[in-house]
Short mmCIF file of all heavy atoms in Angstrom, two decimals:
data_model
loop_
_atom_site.label_atom_id
_atom_site.label_comp_id
_atom_site.label_asym_id
_atom_site.label_seq_id
_atom_site.Cartn_x
_atom_site.Cartn_y
_atom_site.Cartn_z
N PHE A 1 9.62 -17.42 11.88
CA PHE A 1 8.64 -16.80 10.99
C PHE A 1 8.28 -15.38 11.45
O PHE A 1 8.09 -14.49 10.62
CB PHE A 1 7.38 -17.66 10.86
CG PHE A 1 7.60 -18.87 10.00
CD1 PHE A 1 7.43 -20.13 10.51
CD2 PHE A 1 8.00 -18.74 8.67
CE1 PHE A 1 7.64 -21.25 9.72
CE2 PHE A 1 8.21 -19.84 7.88
CZ PHE A 1 8.04 -21.11 8.40
N SER A 2 8.22 -15.15 12.74
CA SER A 2 7.94 -13.80 13.25
C SER A 2 9.05 -12.83 12.87
O SER A 2 8.80 -11.72 12.41
CB SER A 2 7.78 -13.82 14.77
OG SER A 2 6.68 -14.59 15.13
N LEU A 3 10.29 -13.25 13.04
CA LEU A 3 11.42 -12.38 12.71
C LEU A 3 11.54 -12.17 11.20
O LEU A 3 11.81 -11.07 10.75
CB LEU A 3 12.72 -12.97 13.26
CG LEU A 3 12.88 -12.92 14.78
CD1 LEU A 3 14.14 -13.65 15.21
CD2 LEU A 3 12.88 -11.49 15.27
N SER A 4 11.32 -13.21 10.42
CA SER A 4 11.44 -13.05 8.97
C SER A 4 10.34 -12.14 8.43
O SER A 4 10.56 -11.35 7.51
CB SER A 4 11.43 -14.40 8.25
OG SER A 4 10.18 -15.02 8.40
N THR A 5 9.14 -12.21 9.00
CA THR A 5 8.05 -11.32 8.59
C THR A 5 8.40 -9.87 8.94
O THR A 5 8.21 -8.97 8.13
CB THR A 5 6.73 -11.73 9.26
OG1 THR A 5 6.43 -13.06 8.88
CG2 THR A 5 5.60 -10.81 8.84
N ALA A 6 8.94 -9.66 10.12
CA ALA A 6 9.30 -8.30 10.54
C ALA A 6 10.43 -7.75 9.67
O ALA A 6 10.42 -6.58 9.30
CB ALA A 6 9.72 -8.30 12.01
N LEU A 7 11.39 -8.58 9.28
CA LEU A 7 12.50 -8.11 8.47
C LEU A 7 12.08 -7.82 7.03
O LEU A 7 12.67 -6.98 6.37
CB LEU A 7 13.63 -9.15 8.48
CG LEU A 7 14.34 -9.33 9.82
CD1 LEU A 7 15.33 -10.49 9.73
CD2 LEU A 7 15.04 -8.06 10.24
N ASN A 8 11.05 -8.52 6.55
CA ASN A 8 10.59 -8.33 5.18
C ASN A 8 9.39 -7.40 5.07
O ASN A 8 8.79 -7.30 4.01
CB ASN A 8 10.25 -9.68 4.55
CG ASN A 8 11.49 -10.52 4.32
OD1 ASN A 8 12.54 -9.99 3.99
ND2 ASN A 8 11.37 -11.82 4.53
N ALA A 9 9.03 -6.72 6.13
CA ALA A 9 7.88 -5.81 6.10
C ALA A 9 8.15 -4.68 5.12
O ALA A 9 9.28 -4.31 4.87
CB ALA A 9 7.62 -5.25 7.50
N GLN A 10 7.09 -4.13 4.58
CA GLN A 10 7.21 -3.06 3.59
C GLN A 10 7.83 -1.82 4.20
O GLN A 10 7.45 -1.37 5.27
CB GLN A 10 5.84 -2.72 3.04
CG GLN A 10 5.88 -1.66 1.97
CD GLN A 10 4.49 -1.33 1.44
OE1 GLN A 10 3.50 -1.78 1.98
NE2 GLN A 10 4.43 -0.55 0.40
N ASP A 11 8.80 -1.26 3.51
CA ASP A 11 9.42 -0.01 3.90
C ASP A 11 8.77 1.10 3.08
O ASP A 11 9.05 1.24 1.90
CB ASP A 11 10.93 -0.07 3.65
CG ASP A 11 11.64 1.21 4.00
OD1 ASP A 11 10.99 2.16 4.49
OD2 ASP A 11 12.86 1.28 3.77
N LYS A 12 7.87 1.88 3.70
CA LYS A 12 7.11 2.90 2.97
C LYS A 12 8.01 3.93 2.29
O LYS A 12 7.69 4.43 1.23
CB LYS A 12 6.13 3.61 3.90
CG LYS A 12 4.99 2.74 4.34
CD LYS A 12 4.04 3.52 5.22
CE LYS A 12 2.92 2.63 5.70
NZ LYS A 12 1.97 3.36 6.52
N SER A 13 9.15 4.23 2.90
CA SER A 13 10.03 5.22 2.29
C SER A 13 10.66 4.70 1.00
O SER A 13 11.04 5.47 0.13
CB SER A 13 11.12 5.65 3.26
OG SER A 13 11.98 4.55 3.54
N GLN A 14 10.75 3.37 0.87
CA GLN A 14 11.36 2.79 -0.33
C GLN A 14 10.29 2.29 -1.31
O GLN A 14 10.41 2.50 -2.52
CB GLN A 14 12.26 1.63 0.06
CG GLN A 14 12.95 0.98 -1.13
CD GLN A 14 13.88 -0.13 -0.70
OE1 GLN A 14 14.09 -0.36 0.48
NE2 GLN A 14 14.44 -0.82 -1.65
N ASP A 15 9.25 1.62 -0.80
CA ASP A 15 8.26 0.97 -1.67
C ASP A 15 7.00 1.79 -1.88
O ASP A 15 6.21 1.47 -2.75
CB ASP A 15 7.86 -0.38 -1.07
CG ASP A 15 9.05 -1.33 -0.98
OD1 ASP A 15 9.96 -1.21 -1.82
OD2 ASP A 15 9.06 -2.17 -0.08
N GLY A 16 6.78 2.84 -1.08
CA GLY A 16 5.54 3.61 -1.18
C GLY A 16 4.41 2.91 -0.47
O GLY A 16 4.58 1.87 0.15
N ASP A 17 3.22 3.49 -0.54
CA ASP A 17 2.05 2.88 0.05
C ASP A 17 0.81 3.38 -0.69
O ASP A 17 0.88 4.29 -1.51
CB ASP A 17 1.95 3.14 1.55
CG ASP A 17 1.89 4.62 1.89
OD1 ASP A 17 2.11 5.45 1.01
OD2 ASP A 17 1.62 4.94 3.06
N TRP A 18 -0.32 2.75 -0.43
CA TRP A 18 -1.57 3.11 -1.08
C TRP A 18 -2.12 4.40 -0.49
O TRP A 18 -2.03 4.64 0.71
CB TRP A 18 -2.60 2.00 -0.90
CG TRP A 18 -2.28 0.77 -1.68
CD1 TRP A 18 -1.62 -0.34 -1.23
CD2 TRP A 18 -2.56 0.53 -3.04
NE1 TRP A 18 -1.49 -1.25 -2.23
CE2 TRP A 18 -2.07 -0.75 -3.36
CE3 TRP A 18 -3.20 1.26 -4.04
CZ2 TRP A 18 -2.19 -1.30 -4.62
CZ3 TRP A 18 -3.32 0.70 -5.30
CH2 TRP A 18 -2.83 -0.56 -5.58
N SER A 19 -2.74 5.23 -1.34
CA SER A 19 -3.39 6.45 -0.86
C SER A 19 -4.82 6.12 -0.44
O SER A 19 -5.29 4.99 -0.60
CB SER A 19 -3.42 7.51 -1.97
OG SER A 19 -4.35 7.15 -2.97
N ASP A 20 -5.51 7.13 0.06
CA ASP A 20 -6.93 6.98 0.30
C ASP A 20 -7.64 6.83 -1.04
O ASP A 20 -7.08 7.11 -2.10
CB ASP A 20 -7.47 8.23 1.01
CG ASP A 20 -6.90 8.38 2.41
OD1 ASP A 20 -6.56 7.36 3.04
OD2 ASP A 20 -6.80 9.53 2.87
N ILE A 21 -8.89 6.38 -1.01
CA ILE A 21 -9.68 6.25 -2.23
C ILE A 21 -9.91 7.63 -2.82
O ILE A 21 -10.24 8.58 -2.11
CB ILE A 21 -11.02 5.56 -1.93
CG1 ILE A 21 -10.76 4.13 -1.49
CG2 ILE A 21 -11.94 5.60 -3.14
CD1 ILE A 21 -11.97 3.40 -1.02
N ILE A 22 -9.74 7.76 -4.12
CA ILE A 22 -9.94 9.04 -4.81
C ILE A 22 -11.42 9.21 -5.09
O ILE A 22 -12.02 8.39 -5.79
CB ILE A 22 -9.13 9.09 -6.12
CG1 ILE A 22 -7.64 9.00 -5.79
CG2 ILE A 22 -9.45 10.35 -6.90
CD1 ILE A 22 -6.76 8.79 -6.99
N PRO A 23 -12.05 10.23 -4.52
CA PRO A 23 -13.49 10.41 -4.73
C PRO A 23 -13.80 10.99 -6.11
O PRO A 23 -13.37 12.08 -6.45
CB PRO A 23 -13.88 11.39 -3.62
CG PRO A 23 -12.63 12.17 -3.34
CD PRO A 23 -11.48 11.23 -3.63
N LEU A 24 -14.52 10.22 -6.92
CA LEU A 24 -14.99 10.66 -8.22
C LEU A 24 -16.49 10.42 -8.29
O LEU A 24 -17.03 9.57 -7.58
CB LEU A 24 -14.30 9.88 -9.36
CG LEU A 24 -12.81 10.09 -9.53
CD1 LEU A 24 -12.26 9.11 -10.56
CD2 LEU A 24 -12.52 11.51 -9.96
N GLU A 25 -17.17 11.15 -9.16
CA GLU A 25 -18.60 10.96 -9.32
C GLU A 25 -18.92 9.82 -10.29
O GLU A 25 -20.05 9.40 -10.40
CB GLU A 25 -19.25 12.26 -9.80
CG GLU A 25 -19.19 13.36 -8.75
CD GLU A 25 -19.87 14.64 -9.20
OE1 GLU A 25 -20.74 14.59 -10.08
OE2 GLU A 25 -19.51 15.69 -8.66
N VAL A 26 -17.93 9.33 -11.02
CA VAL A 26 -18.10 8.23 -11.95
C VAL A 26 -17.13 7.11 -11.60
O VAL A 26 -16.14 7.33 -10.91
CB VAL A 26 -17.87 8.68 -13.42
CG1 VAL A 26 -18.81 9.80 -13.79
CG2 VAL A 26 -16.44 9.09 -13.66
N ILE A 27 -17.43 5.91 -12.08
CA ILE A 27 -16.50 4.79 -11.97
C ILE A 27 -15.81 4.67 -13.32
O ILE A 27 -16.43 4.26 -14.30
CB ILE A 27 -17.20 3.49 -11.58
CG1 ILE A 27 -17.82 3.65 -10.20
CG2 ILE A 27 -16.22 2.32 -11.61
CD1 ILE A 27 -18.63 2.47 -9.73
N PRO A 28 -14.54 5.04 -13.42
CA PRO A 28 -13.87 5.09 -14.72
C PRO A 28 -13.67 3.71 -15.35
O PRO A 28 -13.28 2.77 -14.67
CB PRO A 28 -12.52 5.70 -14.41
CG PRO A 28 -12.66 6.37 -13.09
CD PRO A 28 -13.70 5.57 -12.35
N VAL A 29 -13.98 3.60 -16.65
CA VAL A 29 -13.64 2.42 -17.43
C VAL A 29 -12.64 2.77 -18.53
O VAL A 29 -12.12 1.89 -19.20
CB VAL A 29 -14.88 1.74 -18.05
CG1 VAL A 29 -15.80 1.22 -16.97
CG2 VAL A 29 -15.61 2.67 -18.99
#
């Protein structure tokens, strides 16, 4: 399970990643 988790970890160069929270003065709906 340790090896399979390491092999399936997210590749940021291929899958991307989340940015920081975007600061807005409103909560968009």
